[in-house]
Amino acid sequence: MENYDYLIVGAGLFGAVFAYRAAKAGKRCLVLDRRNHIAGNAYTEPRHGIDVHVYGAHIFHTSDKRVWEFVNHFAEFNNYINSPIAVYRDELYNLPFNMNTFSKMWGIRTPQEAKDIIASQIRDLHIENPKNLEEQALSLVGTDVYEKLIKGYTEKQWGRPCSELPAFIIRRLPLRFIYDNNYFNDRFQGIPMGGYTEIARALLDESDVKLNEDFLEFRKRGNRLGDGTEVSYKRLVYTGQIDEYYDYCYGPLQYRSVRFETEELPMEDFQGNAVVNYTDAAVPYTRIIEHKHFEFQDTPTTIISREYSSEWKPGVEPYYPVNDETNGNLYDRYYDKAREEKNVIFGGRLGTYRYYNMDQVIAEALNLADAEF
């Protein structure tokens, strides 16, 4: 029998940060993960001198100084600035929507010219109460930006027409009337040199970690690991799907998943940028990321990943929740059930059915630790 204070399910950022704080508070932690590696979806893997973001681009950005100072204890961050490019047919645009975008789209130079064009397009649409995402987006940015840079990409991402998506998915669309291609407004931004896996490894250094261990199977075996070791614990921190924890007793929540096609190419540079979005619906993937550009790595070959958004079903890796009204109501039922648990804490993107950025995940884990210790 192995005795622990905390059993933490999931070796991603939430679980790793909480395990770190718990260990520093003198608690004994066991961390289980069904995958064969730590760091969750932030996992990076070195391949031929390139740190590959195996589960898609992870760009750290935050305005939370506490979180920024915390992660900098475990890695040195470079000065990477996220400045994606959008490809629409044979046209190339800067993201986010800024004066470089508008100048290329309309052949203009001044902010007032851009504002006048957008206002004119919005006025001509006569949309007063947007009923769906399409009307919401059109009422915010007008026809040209919507048709070229939003519609196709969004429909690929969500797997359904914009006219069938709820309006609240796009509460606002940032229009910047300056020549600035920095995607994020956050004060701090960068990529950890050497990748995120090293951060997770440092965070988990004082905890016991068991990989290739599915908690649900562990539970079925009467809290026994795959090697037969029996485990007891006082508190459970669960970062997996809350609906799966309860065996989908109210039905599965909806998620979107992502499929990656990753390949190494015999060239130094494929696209000249870390992130290129493909906004035309005719292109099946949403974007291509070129991994070496995140850390400015100089290698004779390059590695790219094409990302395909897809529907989720049990057994497929979930990436982000579908936060519409139907799923919100269903989650509330699971949440009410979870509140009855005295010694189980649900955390992270899947455990709380929320779309979190990495800094938000870390902040939530730190807040939980503050409440616990």
Side-chain angles (χ1 to χ4, degrees):
M1 172 75 74
E2 291 285 348
N3 301 303
Y4 292 92
D5 296 297
Y6 289 89
L7 175 65
I8 301 168
V9 178
L13 290 177
F14 190 98
V17 169
F18 183 82
Y20 173 81
R21 286 288 306 275
K24 292 303 180 186
K27 306 300 182 181
R28 191 174 186 222
C29 299
L30 173 64
V31 182
L32 304 183
D33 201 295
R34 65 173 64 171
R35 292 173 173 172
N36 65 356
H37 60 75
I38 61 174
N41 284 358
Y43 174 64
T44 44
E45 180 179 274
R47 301 179 190 174
H48 300 167
I50 300 171
D51 290 319
V52 174
H53 295 218
V54 175
Y55 301 96
H58 282 72
I59 301 159
F60 200 90
H61 59 98
T62 187
S63 292
D64 188 329
K65 189 175 181 180
R66 180 195 188 198
V67 169
W68 181 246
E69 291 177 345
F70 179 80
V71 295
N72 273 267
H73 284 302
F74 307 100
E76 181 180 355
F77 281 71
N78 66 18
N79 63 343
Y80 175 84
I81 299 296
N82 189 31
S83 302
I85 298 294
V87 175
Y88 176 76
R89 298 180 183 175
D90 60 349
E91 301 171 21
L92 207 64
Y93 295 101
N94 291 104
L95 295 176
F97 313 136
N98 68 77
M99 283 306 300
N100 289 308
T101 316
F102 308 142
S103 177
K104 179 71 176 293
M105 189 172 289
W106 298 312
I108 60 171
R109 293 177 56 189
T110 68
Q112 191 59 53
E113 288 175 295
K115 291 177 181 179
D116 289 345
I117 291 172
I118 292 170
S120 175
Q121 291 184 1
I122 292 173
R123 196 164 47 245
D124 291 343
L125 292 167
H126 304 291
I127 299 173
E128 295 184 2
N129 297 302
K131 300 179 180 62
N132 52 55
L133 185 148
E134 178 169 271
E135 292 184 357
Q136 175 78 351
L138 285 168
S139 69
L140 292 171
V141 299
T143 308
D144 290 344
V145 173
Y146 171 73
E147 291 290 341
K148 292 187 176 185
L149 301 178
I150 297 173
K151 186 177 189 297
Y153 189 91
T154 303
E155 291 183 347
K156 287 188 290 186
Q157 188 176 33
W158 291 97
R160 47 188 59 84
C162 289
S163 58
E164 296 178 11
L165 291 167
F168 70 78
I169 289 179
I170 295 182
R171 299 187 185 277
R172 65 183 185 88
L173 287 168
L175 298 173
R176 297 182 187 170
F177 297 98
I178 55 175
Y179 289 90
D180 181 7
N181 297 325
N182 184 355
Y183 194 81
F184 300 119
N185 288 317
D186 287 308
R187 179 181 175 187
F188 308 108
Q189 181 176 173
I191 302 286
M193 296 170 66
Y196 291 96
T197 305
E198 295 308 308
I199 294 178
R201 184 170 289 115
L203 290 167
L204 294 167
D205 183 58
E206 297 181 47
S207 298
D208 292 341
V209 179
K210 299 292 184 181
L211 302 177
N212 299 304
E213 284 282 358
D214 188 318
F215 170 78
L216 301 178
E217 294 299 318
F218 164 86
R219 186 169 64 179
K220 289 178 183 177
R221 292 191 297 261
N223 292 351
R224 290 183 183 273
L225 298 172
D227 63 7
T229 302
E230 188 175 357
V231 173
S232 72
Y233 56 91
K234 298 175 183 177
R235 300 270 274 167
L236 173 67
V237 177
Y238 189 79
T239 70
Q241 295 169 237
I242 189 171
D243 52 344
E244 186 179 38
Y245 179 88
Y246 289 112
D247 297 320
Y248 307 108
C249 63
Y250 300 130
L253 292 160
Q254 284 185 296
Y255 304 84
R256 292 294 291 173
S257 189
V258 183
R259 178 173 61 86
F260 302 92
E261 289 183 355
T262 300
E263 61 177 321
E264 185 172 6
L265 301 174
M267 60 183 71
E268 291 186 7
D269 200 337
F270 174 73
Q271 63 187 16
N273 205 51
V275 181
V276 177
N277 291 358
Y278 286 80
T279 61
D280 184 359
V283 178
Y285 41 84
T286 54
R287 64 182 183 177
I288 296 178
I289 61 174
E290 189 166 7
H291 301 269
K292 68 191 304 180
H293 293 305
F294 291 122
E295 295 186 52
F296 318 111
Q297 292 167 320
D298 183 14
T299 58
T301 62
T302 192
I303 297 176
I304 65 169
S305 295
R306 295 179 178 86
E307 298 185 9
Y308 299 80
S309 184
S310 60
E311 290 288 341
W312 174 88
K313 59 183 178 181
V316 175
E317 195 67 44
Y319 276 79
Y320 51 92
V322 180
N323 291 129
D324 59 16
E325 183 177 359
T326 299
N327 284 289
N329 292 334
L330 181 56
Y331 168 73
D332 286 343
R333 297 182 69 188
Y334 282 113
Y335 176 74
D336 289 340
K337 193 173 183 66
R339 290 175 64 186
E340 299 172 3
E341 303 272 6
K342 293 183 179 179
N343 293 308
V344 182
I345 302 165
F346 293 89
R349 182 182 290 190
L350 302 180
T352 60
Y353 200 66
R354 296 178 185 173
Y355 186 91
Y356 281 132
N357 291 320
M358 286 184 288
D359 66 318
Q360 294 170 313
V361 167
I362 291 170
E364 286 299 308
L366 292 174
N367 291 338
L368 171 60
D370 287 345
E372 288 283 301
F373 314 121

